[in-house]
mmCIF file of all heavy atoms in Angstrom:
data_model
loop_
_atom_site.group_PDB
_atom_site.id
_atom_site.type_symbol
_atom_site.label_atom_id
_atom_site.label_comp_id
_atom_site.label_asym_id
_atom_site.label_seq_id
_atom_site.Cartn_x
_atom_site.Cartn_y
_atom_site.Cartn_z
ATOM 1 N N HIS A 514 -165.823 32.323 -9.484
ATOM 2 C CA HIS A 514 -166.445 32.788 -8.241
ATOM 3 C C HIS A 514 -166.855 31.586 -7.396
ATOM 4 O O HIS A 514 -166.550 31.526 -6.191
ATOM 5 C CB HIS A 514 -167.658 33.671 -8.555
ATOM 6 C CG HIS A 514 -168.252 34.303 -7.332
ATOM 7 N ND1 HIS A 514 -167.656 35.359 -6.681
ATOM 8 C CD2 HIS A 514 -169.366 34.007 -6.608
ATOM 9 C CE1 HIS A 514 -168.383 35.695 -5.622
ATOM 10 N NE2 HIS A 514 -169.421 34.889 -5.555
ATOM 11 N N LEU A 515 -167.513 30.618 -8.022
ATOM 12 C CA LEU A 515 -167.961 29.438 -7.268
ATOM 13 C C LEU A 515 -166.770 28.624 -6.761
ATOM 14 O O LEU A 515 -166.797 28.113 -5.635
ATOM 15 C CB LEU A 515 -168.883 28.575 -8.137
ATOM 16 C CG LEU A 515 -170.253 29.202 -8.433
ATOM 17 C CD1 LEU A 515 -171.033 28.337 -9.419
ATOM 18 C CD2 LEU A 515 -171.071 29.386 -7.146
ATOM 19 N N ARG A 516 -165.735 28.516 -7.578
ATOM 20 C CA ARG A 516 -164.526 27.809 -7.111
ATOM 21 C C ARG A 516 -163.970 28.486 -5.860
ATOM 22 O O ARG A 516 -163.641 27.823 -4.877
ATOM 23 C CB ARG A 516 -163.434 27.853 -8.187
ATOM 24 C CG ARG A 516 -163.584 26.833 -9.298
ATOM 25 C CD ARG A 516 -162.606 27.213 -10.401
ATOM 26 N NE ARG A 516 -162.519 26.233 -11.441
ATOM 27 C CZ ARG A 516 -161.558 25.308 -11.544
ATOM 28 N NH1 ARG A 516 -160.601 25.231 -10.641
ATOM 29 N NH2 ARG A 516 -161.535 24.450 -12.534
ATOM 30 N N ALA A 517 -163.855 29.809 -5.920
ATOM 31 C CA ALA A 517 -163.244 30.536 -4.801
ATOM 32 C C ALA A 517 -164.090 30.410 -3.532
ATOM 33 O O ALA A 517 -163.565 30.085 -2.464
ATOM 34 C CB ALA A 517 -163.062 32.008 -5.178
ATOM 35 N N VAL A 518 -165.385 30.659 -3.645
ATOM 36 C CA VAL A 518 -166.203 30.673 -2.422
ATOM 37 C C VAL A 518 -166.409 29.268 -1.860
ATOM 38 O O VAL A 518 -166.679 29.104 -0.666
ATOM 39 C CB VAL A 518 -167.570 31.390 -2.612
ATOM 40 C CG1 VAL A 518 -167.365 32.826 -3.081
ATOM 41 C CG2 VAL A 518 -168.511 30.627 -3.530
ATOM 42 N N SER A 519 -166.247 28.245 -2.719
ATOM 43 C CA SER A 519 -166.435 26.879 -2.215
ATOM 44 C C SER A 519 -165.117 26.263 -1.747
ATOM 45 O O SER A 519 -165.073 25.097 -1.366
ATOM 46 C CB SER A 519 -167.089 25.999 -3.287
ATOM 47 O OG SER A 519 -166.239 25.878 -4.409
ATOM 48 N N GLY A 520 -164.048 27.056 -1.778
ATOM 49 C CA GLY A 520 -162.776 26.567 -1.228
ATOM 50 C C GLY A 520 -161.950 25.759 -2.193
ATOM 51 O O GLY A 520 -161.078 24.995 -1.781
ATOM 52 N N GLN A 521 -162.203 25.898 -3.488
ATOM 53 C CA GLN A 521 -161.406 25.177 -4.482
ATOM 54 C C GLN A 521 -160.263 26.058 -4.980
ATOM 55 O O GLN A 521 -160.212 27.257 -4.712
ATOM 56 C CB GLN A 521 -162.292 24.796 -5.674
ATOM 57 C CG GLN A 521 -163.479 23.943 -5.290
ATOM 58 C CD GLN A 521 -164.298 23.545 -6.505
ATOM 59 O OE1 GLN A 521 -163.773 23.177 -7.548
ATOM 60 N NE2 GLN A 521 -165.609 23.618 -6.364
ATOM 61 N N ARG A 522 -159.382 25.450 -5.736
ATOM 62 C CA ARG A 522 -158.315 26.212 -6.378
ATOM 63 C C ARG A 522 -158.915 27.044 -7.508
ATOM 64 O O ARG A 522 -159.926 26.679 -8.094
ATOM 65 C CB ARG A 522 -157.250 25.280 -6.954
ATOM 66 C CG ARG A 522 -156.544 24.449 -5.918
ATOM 67 C CD ARG A 522 -155.151 24.092 -6.407
ATOM 68 N NE ARG A 522 -154.348 25.293 -6.535
ATOM 69 C CZ ARG A 522 -153.570 25.770 -5.562
ATOM 70 N NH1 ARG A 522 -153.489 25.135 -4.411
ATOM 71 N NH2 ARG A 522 -152.867 26.855 -5.745
ATOM 72 N N LEU A 523 -158.278 28.159 -7.805
ATOM 73 C CA LEU A 523 -158.774 29.028 -8.868
ATOM 74 C C LEU A 523 -158.477 28.419 -10.241
ATOM 75 O O LEU A 523 -157.479 27.718 -10.407
ATOM 76 C CB LEU A 523 -158.088 30.398 -8.787
ATOM 77 C CG LEU A 523 -158.232 31.139 -7.464
ATOM 78 C CD1 LEU A 523 -157.460 32.450 -7.501
ATOM 79 C CD2 LEU A 523 -159.708 31.392 -7.144
ATOM 80 N N GLY A 524 -159.348 28.730 -11.210
ATOM 81 C CA GLY A 524 -159.089 28.333 -12.595
ATOM 82 C C GLY A 524 -158.307 29.420 -13.314
ATOM 83 O O GLY A 524 -158.274 30.579 -12.875
ATOM 84 N N SER A 525 -157.699 29.059 -14.440
ATOM 85 C CA SER A 525 -156.900 30.029 -15.206
ATOM 86 C C SER A 525 -157.764 31.195 -15.687
ATOM 87 O O SER A 525 -158.874 30.999 -16.181
ATOM 88 C CB SER A 525 -156.279 29.322 -16.410
ATOM 89 O OG SER A 525 -155.841 30.296 -17.333
ATOM 90 N N THR A 526 -157.220 32.394 -15.568
ATOM 91 C CA THR A 526 -157.931 33.596 -16.017
ATOM 92 C C THR A 526 -157.423 34.072 -17.385
ATOM 93 O O THR A 526 -157.738 35.176 -17.810
ATOM 94 C CB THR A 526 -157.731 34.731 -14.988
ATOM 95 O OG1 THR A 526 -156.323 34.849 -14.730
ATOM 96 C CG2 THR A 526 -158.454 34.459 -13.696
ATOM 97 N N GLU A 527 -156.649 33.236 -18.038
ATOM 98 C CA GLU A 527 -156.073 33.623 -19.337
ATOM 99 C C GLU A 527 -157.150 33.729 -20.415
ATOM 100 O O GLU A 527 -158.072 32.912 -20.458
ATOM 101 C CB GLU A 527 -155.062 32.551 -19.792
ATOM 102 C CG GLU A 527 -153.786 32.539 -18.999
ATOM 103 C CD GLU A 527 -153.016 33.848 -19.144
ATOM 104 O OE1 GLU A 527 -152.835 34.308 -20.280
ATOM 105 O OE2 GLU A 527 -152.615 34.406 -18.105
ATOM 106 N N PRO A 528 -157.003 34.701 -21.313
ATOM 107 C CA PRO A 528 -157.945 34.769 -22.444
ATOM 108 C C PRO A 528 -157.690 33.622 -23.416
ATOM 109 O O PRO A 528 -156.564 33.150 -23.526
ATOM 110 C CB PRO A 528 -157.610 36.117 -23.093
ATOM 111 C CG PRO A 528 -156.208 36.404 -22.687
ATOM 112 C CD PRO A 528 -155.998 35.773 -21.341
ATOM 113 N N VAL A 529 -158.735 33.190 -24.106
ATOM 114 C CA VAL A 529 -158.574 32.133 -25.113
ATOM 115 C C VAL A 529 -158.987 32.632 -26.503
ATOM 116 O O VAL A 529 -159.085 31.862 -27.439
ATOM 117 C CB VAL A 529 -159.384 30.862 -24.741
ATOM 118 C CG1 VAL A 529 -158.805 30.201 -23.510
ATOM 119 C CG2 VAL A 529 -160.864 31.182 -24.545
ATOM 120 N N VAL A 530 -159.267 33.926 -26.604
ATOM 121 C CA VAL A 530 -159.642 34.526 -27.892
ATOM 122 C C VAL A 530 -158.814 35.805 -28.074
ATOM 123 O O VAL A 530 -158.280 36.353 -27.096
ATOM 124 C CB VAL A 530 -161.147 34.880 -27.944
ATOM 125 C CG1 VAL A 530 -161.998 33.621 -27.824
ATOM 126 C CG2 VAL A 530 -161.522 35.895 -26.868
#
Side-chain angles (χ1 to χ4, degrees):
H514 186 75
L515 290 174
R516 279 168 172 261
V518 302
S519 64
Q521 302 182 43
R522 297 207 65 92
L523 303 178
S525 164
T526 51
E527 288 297 312
V529 292
V530 297

